Amino acid sequence: MTTSFPSDRLTPQELRSYKNRRSIAALTCYDYPTARLLDEVGVPLLLVGDSLGMVVLGYPDTTEVTLAEMIHHTRAVARARTRALIVADLPKDTYNEASQAIQSARALLQAGADAVKLEGGRSRAVAIQALAGAGIPFMGHLGMLPQSIKEEGRYRIKGRTDAERRAILADAHFLEEQGAFAIVLELVVADLAAEIRRALKIPTIGIGSGEDCDGQILVLHDLIGLYPWFRPRFAHPLADVAAEIKNAARAFMQGVQSVYERLHQ
């Protein structure tokens, strides 16, 4: 059964055309009601990120997220039939080979994504070229790569050495040449992120990479204070939903207790 989407839905090509025309405000999204709410206020890009492993499923990092879990959450977001562009992450070890990358990406597209995102640049040439060859819209992701956290040992800012700067800039050009419609820059030193933005004809979307990008993306839970146990330094919550949930739950429990006491006096 084919899912029907709005005819005026934002496309990867249109998002790419935002370069030098308008900013891109993007948020992660993992479920139906959130997708509807974010779409109603006009968020143009919703990322079904593998960050759901941490903020929704309780994994220690993103590396344990499966393709089946990504498909499940992508379907939930897609059911909102948003006008926003829906991008879904290819989880770790689902794009190690060309055929695997195409199969994984097509599964996410079938679930309702408009495009996929994958981490890495030239080191992922096989997967990137396979997606491009199959005509699958894809977004790049450079800088700190969460799927490599076990190898890295910790989250750290990238681009502080000349070698890292050259490698990240070369990877950015490679992704653009291969047809990426945008690139997420995570924890890239601000001046390098600015250099990349100026050098590319496709949008750069920063997260912890300074202000000089074509747009910004945040994990929704960091924006609204829904995951108080860990908060990135660059995230500045604009709400405290965790506290409101606790307050509502306490009020509910007190109400139930009051009724019980009244009935059993």
Side-chain angles (χ1 to χ4, degrees):
M1 180 178 178
T2 302
T3 304
S4 176
F5 298 112
S7 59
D8 59 344
R9 191 166 184 170
L10 184 67
T11 67
Q13 293 74 22
E14 288 171 327
L15 188 84
R16 176 175 178 153
S17 74
Y18 280 14
K19 181 79 174 185
N20 297 324
R21 281 199 313 121
R22 56 174 295 183
S23 63
I24 300 169
L27 289 168
T28 63
C29 187
Y30 316 109
D31 57 52
Y32 170 83
T34 304
R36 286 196 61 173
L37 291 169
L38 297 181
D39 195 56
E40 285 177 6
V41 300
V43 177
L45 192 160
L46 301 179
L47 173 66
V48 187
D50 57 4
S51 50
L52 69 87
M54 301 173 71
V55 300
V56 176
L57 301 179
Y59 294 150
D61 51 52
T62 67
T63 64
E64 297 182 33
V65 176
T66 67
L67 181 60
E69 288 166 338
M70 291 301 304
I71 290 170
H72 174 86
H73 287 273
T74 299
R75 281 176 176 157
V77 171
R79 288 188 190 106
R81 291 173 171 79
T82 67
R83 286 176 171 77
L85 177 71
I86 298 176
V87 179
D89 272 340
L90 285 166
K92 182 178 174 62
D93 293 331
T94 66
Y95 52 102
N96 294 331
E97 300 175 356
S99 59
Q100 182 192 35
I102 292 173
Q103 184 177 7
S104 299
R106 283 177 174 166
L108 291 171
L109 296 183
Q110 188 174 15
D114 301 300
V116 298
K117 179 170 73 65
L118 74 166
E119 296 182 4
R122 292 163 298 170
S123 65
R124 290 292 188 177
V126 170
I128 290 166
Q129 291 169 346
L131 294 177
I136 296 173
F138 68 96
M139 175 184 288
H141 185 142
L142 297 176
M144 180 62 207
L145 308 179
Q147 292 177 9
S148 301
I149 186 60
K150 285 184 167 57
E151 293 82 1
E152 292 280 346
R154 61 185 177 88
Y155 294 95
R156 67 181 183 87
I157 297 174
K158 297 287 187 167
R160 284 176 164 162
T161 68
D162 289 341
E164 276 190 350
R165 291 179 70 94
R166 289 193 298 269
I168 293 171
L169 183 57
D171 280 341
H173 282 294
F174 175 77
L175 285 167
E176 181 179 44
E177 291 164 1
Q178 296 302 315
F181 64 88
I183 300 174
V184 169
L185 299 177
E186 180 168 358
L187 293 180
V188 173
V189 292
D191 66 322
L192 175 58
E195 181 181 353
I196 293 171
R197 181 194 63 77
R198 294 190 298 268
L200 300 186
K201 296 179 180 178
I202 60 175
T204 60
I205 304 174
I207 177 166
S209 298
E211 297 180 345
D212 199 355
C213 296
D214 296 296
Q216 299 289 332
I217 186 167
L218 273 180
V219 171
L220 177 70
H221 292 55
D222 294 335
L223 175 68
I224 64 175
L226 188 53
Y227 195 82
W229 306 280
F230 171 77
R231 183 172 295 159
R233 293 181 180 178
F234 56 80
H236 304 287
L238 299 181
D240 192 352
V241 173
E244 290 301 311
I245 289 174
K246 288 181 178 180
N247 291 337
R250 289 191 189 102
F252 173 72
M253 289 190 295
Q254 290 168 359
V256 170
Q257 181 64 22
S258 295
V259 171
Y260 179 85
E261 291 173 355
R262 174 170 55 82
L263 294 175
H264 295 83
Q265 285 181 346

